[in-house]
């Protein structure tokens, strides 16, 4: 899955720009378009972390329809893929911990989007669920 969500950008009367995502909670703003887009990435990760924390499916990004895309950073995207794979396979934290030979608290941290995990550990967890993460590098516009 590609974790890239279209962002709604609105210019406010004071010239600041508000960024929000369709169907996701929260909004943020920046003094410039670039700043609003940077802040939007943090908002996106925080908003998606709510779904992970609640054990709910992560929403599929809607069609962009001309809106700019905000990409979830690589580590957090891998964690979202792990969360999704666990839900699809009905694998609990305890079961994944058993498969990996680690404590359940380690799996909780691997799933926490706001915790700085090592990407290799997330990859190992994905592999234990029969998944493989890949990287695609795109040119920045």
């Amino acid at each position: 899955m590609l974790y890239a969500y279209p962002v709604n950008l609105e210019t406010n009367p004071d010239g600041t720009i508000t960024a929000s995502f369709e169907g996701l909670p929260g909004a943020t703003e920046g003094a410039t378009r670039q700043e609003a887009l940077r802040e939007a990435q943090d908002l996106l990760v925080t908003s998606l972390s709510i779904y992970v924390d609640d054990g709910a499916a992560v929403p599929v990004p809607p069609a962009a329809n001309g809106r700019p895309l905000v990409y979830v950073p690589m580590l957090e995207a891998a964690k979202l893929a792990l969360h999704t794979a666990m839900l699809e396979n009905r694998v609990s934290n305890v079961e994944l911990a058993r498969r990996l030979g680690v404590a359940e608290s380690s799996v909780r941290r691997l799933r926490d989007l706001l915790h700085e995990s090592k990407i290799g550990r997330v990859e190992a967890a994905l592999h234990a669920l029969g998944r493989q993460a890949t990287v695609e590098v795109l040119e920045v516009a």
Side-chain angles (χ1 to χ4, degrees):
M1 166 141 171
L2 179 64
Y3 294 102
Y5 290 75
V7 63
N8 300 312
L9 297 173
E10 293 181 34
T11 303
N12 301 312
D14 65 357
T16 60
I17 302 189
T18 297
S20 64
F21 296 93
E22 180 183 322
L24 296 177
T28 190
E29 65 180 40
T32 65
R33 177 182 166 88
Q34 280 303 94
E35 184 180 325
L37 288 170
R38 277 193 308 274
E39 293 295 325
Q41 189 177 56
D42 289 338
L43 171 63
L44 179 59
V45 170
T46 300
S47 295
L48 293 175
S49 74
I50 294 168
Y51 291 88
V52 175
D53 292 347
D54 289 346
V58 175
V60 174
N65 295 330
R67 294 175 288 178
L69 292 175
V70 174
Y71 291 83
V72 173
M74 191 169 19
L75 174 62
E76 290 82 356
K79 288 182 172 212
L80 288 171
L82 174 61
H83 171 73
T84 299
M86 290 178 72
L87 290 178
E88 288 173 355
N89 291 296
R90 293 186 167 94
V91 172
S92 68
N93 288 355
V94 171
E95 172 56 21
L96 183 57
R98 185 193 65 72
R99 292 181 190 186
L100 295 172
V102 300
E104 186 269 343
S105 59
S106 294
V107 172
R108 270 189 276 128
R109 285 191 298 275
L110 284 179
R111 294 180 73 189
D112 182 350
L113 295 189
L114 306 179
H115 182 269
E116 228 10 81
S117 301
K118 294 187 187 262
I119 190 70
R121 292 187 180 176
V122 180
E123 285 181 297
L126 284 165
H127 189 264
L129 295 169
R131 303 290 169 93
Q132 175 67 50
T134 62
V135 175
E136 180 180 9
V137 178
L138 304 172
E139 189 172 332
V140 177

